[in-house]
Amino acid sequence: MRVLIVEDEPKMAELLRRGLVDQGAVVDVASCGEDALWMAAATAFDAIVLDVMLPGIDGFETCRRLREALVWSPVLMLTARGEVEDRVAGLDGGADDYLVKPFEFPELGARLRALARRGPRERPAVLQVGDLRLDPAERRVWRGETEIALSATELALLEAFMRRPGEVLSRLALLEAGWDGEYENRSNVVAVYVGYLRNKIDRPFTRADIETVRGEGYRLRAPA
């Protein structure tokens, strides 16, 4: 197993390196997020141990940039910051696991082996279909460089479309994505909100990417 450790404290970096080497890993070390970006792009690591508190760009931003650069090596965030909001920020930013200091090396090694068995992540933290981008963690949407304001329900429907581009989604599937059990399948609320989406992400940009498939549902046209 080849592991990249991203840690700016030399003593901690060496402690991590020695501990993982003793468990049979091949280990490289980066002292900042900027170095981690080019090292992870150049080498297919089985796992990345990423500290949050780094000079320059922090661990959250480093992880986000790795995913934007299409580096899908599993990332374990290793930090003294164990608050819920920090764990959520790390996981939503593209991390696969989160371990709080102090820790035991057997647990760290076991978590890394589990991540390595899973292999690279299959789904990016930020969804993109053509020039349409959606960040589920920050709940923001862009068409090209233009940010688009959507309601919570519109965001939920768009996320459902963008996770399955080119696939026809039934009205029931869209109801389940955007609403609780209060709405019945015969309700026209889906058609109404699809219209809202079209008015925000398609028509202002002279697009028609959300298509109606008569008798079946709707789909987001996949790029050619």
Side-chain angles (χ1 to χ4, degrees):
M1 178 172 64
R2 186 160 190 172
V3 179
L4 174 63
I5 295 171
V6 190
E7 169 63 63
D8 66 310
E9 293 288 342
K11 290 184 179 179
M12 175 58 72
E14 180 60 15
L15 180 67
L16 288 168
R17 190 192 69 79
R18 287 184 180 179
L20 293 176
V21 167
D22 287 345
Q23 296 189 27
V26 176
V27 180
D28 294 307
V29 177
S31 60
C32 64
E34 289 83 355
D35 285 347
L37 294 177
W38 70 259
M39 292 174 70
T43 302
F45 290 100
D46 296 300
I48 298 172
V49 179
L50 179 59
D51 189 33
V52 168
M53 301 300 291
L54 294 171
I57 60 173
D58 66 13
F60 298 138
E61 181 63 19
T62 299
C63 187
R64 186 177 297 279
R65 293 192 191 183
L66 285 170
R67 298 319 188 203
E68 288 177 350
L70 304 184
V71 174
W72 303 118
S73 299
V75 171
L76 184 148
M77 305 288 280
L78 185 62
T79 178
R81 293 168 55 173
E83 291 81 2
V84 171
E85 57 267 28
D86 291 325
R87 297 198 299 272
V88 169
L91 295 169
D92 276 345
D96 299 87
D97 201 357
Y98 207 105
L99 186 59
V100 178
K101 302 174 185 177
F103 59 90
E104 297 293 334
F105 266 104
E107 181 181 5
L108 173 62
R111 286 175 180 260
L112 290 176
R113 289 191 295 273
L115 291 177
R117 286 195 299 271
R118 292 182 208 166
R121 291 168 54 95
E122 296 181 354
R123 190 161 62 190
V126 176
L127 304 176
Q128 183 157 1
V129 179
D131 65 347
L132 191 62
R133 289 180 295 127
L134 186 151
D135 186 331
E138 295 192 1
R139 307 187 65 76
R140 299 173 68 187
V141 176
W142 298 264
R143 172 74 86 175
E145 299 303 315
T146 303
E147 186 166 358
I148 304 168
L150 298 181
S151 70
T153 301
E154 292 163 353
L155 277 165
L157 291 185
L158 183 59
E159 181 174 349
F161 280 124
M162 293 185 69
R163 290 199 183 278
R164 298 157 72 180
E167 184 176 338
V168 177
L169 302 185
S170 68
R171 184 168 54 182
L172 179 58
L174 292 171
L175 276 170
E176 291 175 346
W179 291 270
D180 56 25
E182 296 179 3
Y183 287 96
E184 298 180 10
N185 193 27
R186 64 175 179 269
S187 170
N188 72 341
V189 69
V190 169
V192 170
Y193 272 83
V194 167
Y196 292 160
L197 268 182
R198 284 171 167 158
N199 286 336
K200 292 184 177 181
I201 71 168
D202 273 353
R203 293 191 176 102
F205 303 91
T206 63
R207 305 291 185 84
D209 288 343
I210 299 179
E211 301 175 326
T212 300
V213 181
R214 294 194 179 279
E216 296 186 42
Y218 304 90
R219 71 178 163 217
L220 179 65
R221 181 185 301 165

